[in-house]
Amino acid sequence: MNSTFNNRFITDKIHSFDRPKLPLDQGYSKEFLDSEWAYAPRSEMKVVVGFERSSNKDYDHFNQQLKEERTELESLVANWDENDALKPESENIENALAFLKKAFKSLSDQQNLILSFPEINACPDGSIDVVWRLSEAFMLINFRNPASKIAYFYFDKYREELGRQGGIELDKPLPDDVVGYLTALSR
């Protein structure tokens, strides 16, 4: 389930100015946009320094999406892929969702960023993959073996240098390198 924060003020960079993109239901035209958003008139362009603070509404929306994902993952039974897949382990589901809440809160509180909502997928071995596929970067985090309290990640910015991989200790604060990777997946 990938969706946008429909009531969130989002900007589109034009040189050093920002031209707001607003929901169509606020009476703006569909000029240059997808079906949900429209650019505000050029008269509403403004210089923006830094990022807009995320709101409780953003956090509530993120949590609602997590609840929907939990329901979907918990509804899967053994052989859900008709190829002998295991039922997702509840601890793996819990670890993945707790990590996402912690990551969202960390980026929101420390950097005023909103973490893009990822794909959350069950894997045939009972583990959970959390995946971001953006034009700027890719990140996969796999939650398996809940007793170890470690998730395994791969991050790539699609550049000449190699991607990064490693482990994230789930019961500790987010490491700086992982925060940096998640920042690339935020807006």
Side-chain angles (χ1 to χ4, degrees):
M1 287 186 166
N2 251 339
S3 64
T4 58
F5 294 91
N6 290 333
N7 294 318
R8 173 113 169 91
F9 180 83
I10 297 177
T11 56
D12 180 55
K13 296 280 183 197
I14 300 177
H15 305 291
S16 61
F17 293 91
D18 283 342
R19 188 173 179 196
K21 284 170 104 176
L22 300 169
L24 286 176
D25 61 7
Q26 292 185 9
Y28 292 95
S29 73
K30 289 178 71 170
E31 169 188 26
F32 307 116
L33 285 178
D34 61 30
S35 61
E36 292 184 60
W37 295 92
Y39 285 115
R42 287 192 181 271
S43 62
E44 292 185 28
M45 288 176 66
K46 62 182 177 177
V47 176
V48 173
V49 178
F51 296 92
E52 180 185 350
R53 178 115 178 108
S54 62
S55 68
N56 285 339
K57 191 174 192 178
D58 296 324
Y59 187 67
D60 292 344
H61 183 74
F62 195 85
N63 279 330
Q64 181 59 40
Q65 288 179 291
L66 290 177
K67 286 177 188 176
E68 292 170 11
E69 291 290 339
R70 175 191 303 274
T71 301
E72 188 173 320
L73 291 168
E74 289 175 344
S75 72
L76 296 174
V77 296
N79 199 32
W80 54 266
D81 67 350
E82 298 180 1
N83 200 18
D84 297 326
L86 300 175
K87 176 179 175 54
E89 291 185 42
S90 60
E91 296 90 351
N92 290 334
I93 295 170
E94 189 58 43
N95 286 340
L97 300 183
F99 171 83
L100 287 169
K101 284 181 184 180
K102 179 167 64 171
F104 183 95
K105 199 87 169 109
S106 175
L107 290 170
S108 174
D109 291 349
Q110 296 172 15
Q111 299 183 38
N112 297 329
L113 295 174
I114 295 176
L115 181 62
S116 297
F117 200 84
E119 297 171 28
I120 303 174
N121 303 310
C123 299
D125 64 358
S127 66
I128 301 294
D129 277 351
V130 173
V131 184
W132 289 267
R133 300 172 205 270
L134 305 176
S135 59
E136 312 82 36
F138 170 86
M139 187 169 194
L140 176 131
I141 306 174
N142 180 261
F143 295 84
R144 62 180 181 263
N145 190 10
S148 73
K149 287 291 188 188
I150 295 176
Y152 301 91
F153 74 88
Y154 176 77
F155 176 80
D156 194 343
K157 274 191 138 177
Y158 309 126
R159 295 195 182 141
E160 292 179 15
E161 70 264 11
L162 296 175
R164 306 283 186 252
Q165 61 186 3
I168 304 168
E169 294 180 80
L170 299 174
D171 54 356
K172 296 195 175 172
L174 293 174
D176 290 341
D177 61 335
V178 172
V179 170
Y181 305 148
L182 293 170
T183 298
L185 305 168
S186 302
R187 56 181 173 218

